[in-house]
Amino acid sequence: MVESTAVHIYYSDHHAVPLPPGHRFPMGKYARLRARLVDDAVVPAAWLAPAPLASRDELERVHDADYVAAVIDGRLDERAQRRIGLTWSPAMVTRSLASVGGTLAAARAALRDGLAGNLAGGTHHAHRGFGSGFCVWNDLAVTARWLLAERGVRRVLILDLDVHQGDGTATIFADEPRVFTCSMHGARNFPFHKATSDLDVELPDGADDALVLARLDETLAAVAERFSPDVVLYQAGVDALAADKLGRLGMSAAGLAERDRRVLGHFRSRGLPVVLTLGGGYGDPIDLTIDAHLGTYRVAREFA
Ligand SMILES: [Zn+2]
């Protein structure tokens, strides 16, 4: 029997962040996703490990030192917390460090194994000097910088298929030719003032599987013409699901799985390491979102 390679998957949900009842951020989704990955036998339990915490030095490759210190030391003012959409707590700091550390660890594993994932991260609305939209620090940007600085990687592609534009990532790397930022997102969704990625693809409200998958094929071809990455960081948000409260699009779970299959097929057939991160997903009920995230890992297993 041929053993498949483990897809190492890092989690942060054991750092429970207290939120008031009815808060829009689906904190519970992360622990339930991890439990169902194992309970539904989507992946072997041995593939899962707690995310290490990112270091201050790693964060400061991207973020302003005073912003990093303000979060860690609990000096974020009211306005900064409102912009993030989360109330500061010591647990929020630890979980945010783990969320970045999980993508760093997954990148380390993907360089070795070809594919790895973080059950958090994808926090693409975090900018250099402030957080926004439930994003404290930008794990994608910190990991891209780490790959360039520490691992001799020459070019990183950040492919962001969350329904919301990866505005923080785009802004952070606006003047960095070694990082190509590509965001496919809802034209009419948050953020309402879009940044400029290296490639932005806008989708109309209600876009269904057929439309999104056709746009995806064009997008992968367009990226291939312009950029030849050594590593791919893939933000696999599932808020394009029709049942999503914030998404405005109309994809099915099967369509999202096919999206992930095309992305992984495209890059893994070229031998490129791919790092999976989570992203948005605000389904009603939240189990529909969890099913969609599980779909990403069912597909990942096809490539293990
Ligand atoms: Zn989103």
Side-chain angles (χ1 to χ4, degrees):
M1 184 185 143
V2 179
E3 288 286 328
S4 66
T5 309
V7 176
H8 289 277
I9 303 166
Y10 298 91
Y11 60 84
S12 310
D13 61 82
H14 54 306
H15 304 294
V17 177
L19 291 179
H23 193 285
R24 278 199 314 166
F25 187 76
M27 196 60 77
K29 126 179 147 174
Y30 298 88
R32 278 160 75 182
L33 171 60
R34 171 159 65 108
R36 284 202 49 208
L37 275 172
V38 175
D39 294 347
D40 297 6
V42 176
V43 301
W47 288 10
L48 292 158
L53 304 186
S55 72
R56 210 179 257 241
D57 286 350
E58 285 160 344
L59 296 172
E60 288 178 2
R61 282 210 181 96
V62 166
H63 295 287
D64 295 341
D66 53 354
Y67 172 55
V68 173
V71 177
I72 290 176
D73 302 339
R75 289 187 286 100
L76 277 182
D77 63 25
E78 199 59 34
R79 192 172 151 272
Q81 293 181 56
R82 236 191 346 264
R83 190 158 194 181
I84 293 170
L86 300 170
T87 305
W88 187 92
S89 66
M92 178 260 234
V93 176
T94 312
R95 187 184 181 284
S96 299
L97 291 170
S99 178
V100 177
T103 301
L104 286 164
R108 192 183 293 272
L111 289 177
R112 185 186 61 222
D113 303 330
L115 184 59
N118 181 10
L119 296 183
T123 46
H124 55 176
H125 301 309
H127 288 67
R128 210 180 287 281
F130 63 92
S132 87
F134 304 140
C135 301
V136 177
W137 293 305
N138 193 312
D139 62 303
L140 300 160
V142 169
T143 301
R145 281 278 173 227
W146 176 81
L147 287 163
L148 295 171
E150 301 290 335
R151 298 306 299 259
V153 167
R154 289 169 304 166
R155 285 179 298 272
V156 180
L157 169 64
I158 301 177
L159 177 67
D160 187 333
L161 299 187
D162 193 278
V163 129
H164 304 100
Q165 192 204 29
D167 58 336
T169 321
T171 305
I172 288 165
F173 291 121
D175 298 314
E176 175 49 88
R178 295 176 296 170
V179 178
F180 192 97
T181 55
C182 174
S183 178
M184 186 162 84
H185 50 262
R188 296 189 56 220
N189 215 319
F190 177 90
F192 301 106
H193 297 286
K194 303 280 191 284
T196 304
S197 311
D198 291 300
L199 179 60
D200 285 300
V201 179
E202 300 212 311
L203 298 166
D205 282 358
D208 63 6
D209 293 346
L211 176 61
V212 175
L213 292 171
R215 287 285 175 83
L216 173 64
D217 289 343
E218 295 162 12
T219 301
L220 293 174
V223 171
E225 276 188 16
R226 290 176 55 185
F227 193 74
S228 175
D230 300 316
V231 180
V232 180
L233 307 182
Y234 174 30
Q235 207 274 23
V238 296
D239 41 13
L241 199 65
D244 197 275
K245 285 184 288 185
L246 307 180
R248 307 181 70 100
L249 301 194
M251 291 190 79
S252 69
L256 283 162
E258 177 59 20
R259 174 197 74 172
D260 296 336
R261 189 173 291 112
R262 290 188 192 186
V263 169
L264 292 184
H266 180 84
F267 294 112
R268 293 299 298 131
S269 69
R270 289 161 173 77
L272 296 174
V274 177
V275 179
L276 295 164
T277 75
L278 243 51
Y282 312 92
D284 186 14
I286 196 68
D287 284 310
L288 295 173
T289 288
I290 292 170
D291 287 340
H293 286 307
L294 287 171
T296 300
Y297 279 91
R298 282 202 181 86
V299 170
R301 201 164 179 184
E302 296 169 15
F303 291 87

